[in-house]
Amino acid sequence: MKTIDEAKLIDIVGEKNIKTDPSDLYIYGSDSSVHHAMPWAIVKPETTEQVQGIMKYANKNKIPVIARGGGSGMCGQTVPVKGGIMLDMKGMNKILEINLEDVYCRVESGVVDDDLNLALKQYGVFYPPTPASSRIATIGGEIANNASGVRSVKYGATRDAVLGMKVVLPNGDLVSLGAHTRVEASGYQLHKLMIGSEGTLGIVVEATLSFVPIPEFRCMGVANFDTLKDAGEAIGSIMASGANPSMLELVDDVAIKAVNKTMDLGLKEVAAALIFEADGMVKEAVDYEIDKMTKVCEKHNGNDIYSSYDPKERAKIFLGRKKLFPALSKYDENLASTALADDMAVPYSKMAEMAGKIHEIADKNNIVMTAYGHCGSGCMHTKILMDTKRKDQWASAKKAITQVYEYVRSVNGTTSAEHGIGLSKAESFKIEKSDSLNLLATIKKAIDPNNILNPGKLAQAPEDWVTATNLRYSVNN
Amino acid sequence: MKNKTKEFKNLEKWQGTLANCIRCGYCFEHCPMFHHTGWESDAPRAKIITAFGLLSGEIEPSESAANKMFSCFYCKRCEAACSSGVPLTEIFTDAKKDLLEMGLEGPGTTSITQLSCARCLICLSACPHEARSYVEGKGITTDPAKCQACGICLEVCPAGAAKIENDFGTNKEVLIEKANDFLDTHESSKAIVFACNWSYYPELQASVLPDSETKDNDYEILVNMCGGRLEPHLLMAPFLHNAWGVLVACCPDDECQHNGNLRAKKIVENLHNTFKQIDVDPERIQLVQIPAGDKTLFQAEIDTFVDKLNSMGPIR
Ligand SMILES: Cc1cc2nc3c(=O)[nH]c(=O)nc-3n(C[C@H](O)[C@H](O)[C@H](O)COP(=O)(O)OP(=O)(O)OC[C@H]3O[C@@H](n4cnc5c(N)ncnc54)[C@H](O)[C@@H]3O)c2cc1C
Ligand code: SF4
Ligand code: SF4
Ligand code: SF4
């Protein structure tokens, strides 16, 4: 372990903003992934100048720096594989400006997504990318992972909502990227380069974000299917029909069974269900979309199709999806629900096949996998349920993941839809992007010549994620 | 990694549950401790990670690790928010039992008894969790595994001897300071709302709004953990800084885990009498009972109270 000059850090951020006790370091060594590694110090800056000071110090001494928002990343993005300083950005949590005239807001990067949306709500507007983890995810973490959510099928991902940002570079320089206007054609879109860079190119300290009006009408529907294939084909047809859903979610039979097994929601045990939603300012327009989606579902043998504008009914329809995580955690007391092979995107026409493939691969490898996700935007999620104490289950999971992503790439899909790469998806990422890895390395080197920002991630991550770090589970030999 | 579970006899049974926590962090923005310090290592997820680290032998059972496990107000908001049904406080209690066996005891949020204790033993019967006992030759001791940091002993102790050292902003002086600061810096300020953490449901949790958004606020919500911790001095203090009224929010009659609401009711009743005597409308201090997490009702009660204050005007 490299020594850190604590006095120097105290000079920059003050004593109250540093922690170095092993019990604190241990906590900050994990996120929502399967990985764990120890940082050397936690620093919680409160100002841009403090971030600049830390970066200058770290760059001079070649100490790794890992930015951390809510620590809700699922692929080990914030796990400090090479040690270093963990920069807890939650100390920079001010909403700086809500500009209704020019339709943007400015926030520090540690602002929590839900908090921003609460502040915007009173003006009848919202910031749409919102991942399911919005109650803890920070704007900085969402930018770095290019997060998206259930409504991204209509409103886009983080990439589409960020107009500009202020970024501290590894050498401590502060740069303003992008603009405050909706359009910008001035040279390289460097702010977009930061989106999805997983904290490897710069520390985002401020972001300028666009927002949209909260729709007057929302209608949600559900359709059951006797085969996963029918449900998958319905997704493709809905998107190809020109319908404009504000949500289109798939849940498979494993997910439905898990929910039924652990709580009394009385969901019908079918092979798959689609939850769809449309929203808008005019009811007739929403009716039109719902009608269109209902008809497509019917065409693909959807049954028990039902939709409602009533908020209570909508909440009921969505409850099964919402309760999925606790249900999976309680599915079988010997199995833990792990964030592995957690997301991917495939073309609409391959949705059905993809979901089937996930089940086939799980069976072959003796683990349980479930398929669900924001399928309207091509995004598929899985969870691997396995006995994390058994070493052989980790080997099986690894094999299954390799096979899942082989399929994804074979149908022109991509390794991550929204959760990012971090450590656990690096294997497939590197194969998928093999012809641009040199370019990625060149960009990284130009911006971060000492390789101090979140080293060992993305293209730098080892292929074998199982041995990349300690696992955060107890594994018997 | 090697397992070293034998010393954690109570915690051991939670091994599977600790693996089932998906580390989503949904619990942490609800925790008053995280809200107060802003450090993730004070949040519920951090305690679950610590419990795992202790059980797996990845971290030493050190004083600082123990301090984390012994710091909790048992408001169980983390459990209500948990995505995976993890019974967090039960796990904390079992970890505490094992740590105690190892000679580690915090202090965390455990209530301690200082030398000024007059041995009146009032706190013994007041403690709703039977955590306090009198030991010959030692005086009053608290069982850190049983103490839920409700703070009731602090308020009943006539000698001011009971104390929660790590109060995470729930100490009376801090609350008075916060109330005064709000009343002195906001021109339109009218009311202070003291809410117990069970009835309190925050809107903006971790982030800070620009001054332009908050300058016209007419009330401020301050969290005092349990209604049982309220006392006349705290409730009267805002009036010295020109508050128009004070609202107290606590749990419904049979829902308080510490019976603190009954105490709060009595205190407010007594203050009503005092107000009458000094010819101030007793309605300026009110108590409302809110079921845990019902933020709609909570907001409605606040709005009604502020409307009423507006019709009364300031105290002359
Ligand atoms: C239960 C659950 C559900 C989820 N659902 C979704 C979902 O629906 N959609 C989705 O997209 N994701 C989802 N996620 C994944 C994750 O929550 C998101 O990717 C989120 O954006 C991460 O935000 P964070 O603040 O927690 O970032 P962290 O996990 O703390 O960090 C993520 C990455 O961002 C970098 N970073 C953080 N702050 C900065 C900064 N200021 N400057 C530069 N880099 C920074 C870090 O270095 C790291 O590489 C989910 C996660 C969980 C646990
Ligand atoms: S019970 Fe309350 S104080 Fe304790 S960890 Fe949970 S949320 Fe925090
Ligand atoms: S909410 Fe539950 S599952 Fe999520 S981190 Fe907290 S204890 Fe774990
Ligand atoms: S009264 Fe509350 S704070 Fe005091 S010892 Fe009992 S449980 Fe702990």
Side-chain angles (χ1 to χ4, degrees), chain A residues 19 21 23-24 26 28 32 68 70-71 90 93 95 112 115 118 122-123 132 136 326 329 335 471-473, chain B residues 1 20-21 23-26 39-41 45 52-53 58 64 68 83-84 203-208 210 213:
Chain A
K19 286 202 191 273
D21 189 277
S23 67
D24 291 288
Y26 183 75
Y28 275 87
S32 301
R68 180 179 177 101
K90 289 190 288 299
N93 58 355
I95 297 170
V112 175
D115 287 353
L118 267 164
Q122 58 175 320
Y123 301 111
I136 71 159
S329 288
L335 305 181
L471 294 168
R472 67 112 167 143
Y473 298 92
Chain B
M1 96 195 46
N20 273 333
C21 155
R23 304 242 169 128
C24 60
Y26 282 15
W39 283 105
E40 232 182 272
S41 37
R45 177 172 71 175
F52 175 82
E58 286 186 6
S64 50
K68 292 189 170 62
S83 72
S84 304
E203 283 299 353
L204 274 187
Q205 181 69 23
S207 310
V208 182
E213 296 281 324

Side-chain angles (χ1 to χ4, degrees), chain A residues 312-440:
Chain A
K312 278 204 190 103
E313 285 295 313
R314 274 170 19 212
K316 225 160 97 191
I317 293 175
F318 203 61
L319 196 61
R321 169 72 173 88
K322 209 171 149 186
K323 294 286 179 197
L324 187 56
F325 290 154
L328 290 173
S329 288
K330 289 185 204 152
Y331 184 75
D332 180 329
E333 74 178 278
N334 295 313
L335 305 181
S337 157
T338 59
L340 285 172
D342 50 311
D343 86 329
M344 59 212 70
V346 290
Y348 294 129
S349 61
K350 298 289 181 237
M351 271 296 164
E353 204 176 283
M354 172 84 246
K357 206 78 194 171
I358 287 172
H359 288 185
E360 187 188 310
I361 291 171
D363 287 347
K364 216 162 55 190
N365 290 288
N366 207 11
I367 49 176
V368 181
M369 286 177 87
T370 163
Y372 64 99
H374 324 312
C375 294
S377 33
C379 163
M380 181 74 87
H381 288 322
T382 74
K383 285 258 186 222
I384 295 187
L385 305 187
M386 62 176 187
D387 186 344
T388 50
K389 295 189 289 308
R390 279 171 45 192
K391 212 170 177 177
D392 62 313
Q393 288 261 291
W394 286 94
S396 304
K398 186 168 184 316
K399 242 200 262 156
I401 292 168
T402 303
Q403 289 161 4
V404 165
Y405 285 113
E406 267 166 11
Y407 170 80
V408 169
R409 295 191 307 273
S410 76
V411 296
N412 281 331
T414 189
T415 305
S416 174
E418 53 178 31
H419 292 171
I421 303 301
L423 293 164
S424 50
K425 293 217 281 287
E427 181 195 29
S428 175
F429 174 73
K430 289 202 277 201
I431 302 172
E432 183 192 331
K433 306 286 182 200
S434 58
D435 62 351
S436 60
L437 287 181
N438 274 338
L439 184 56
L440 288 189

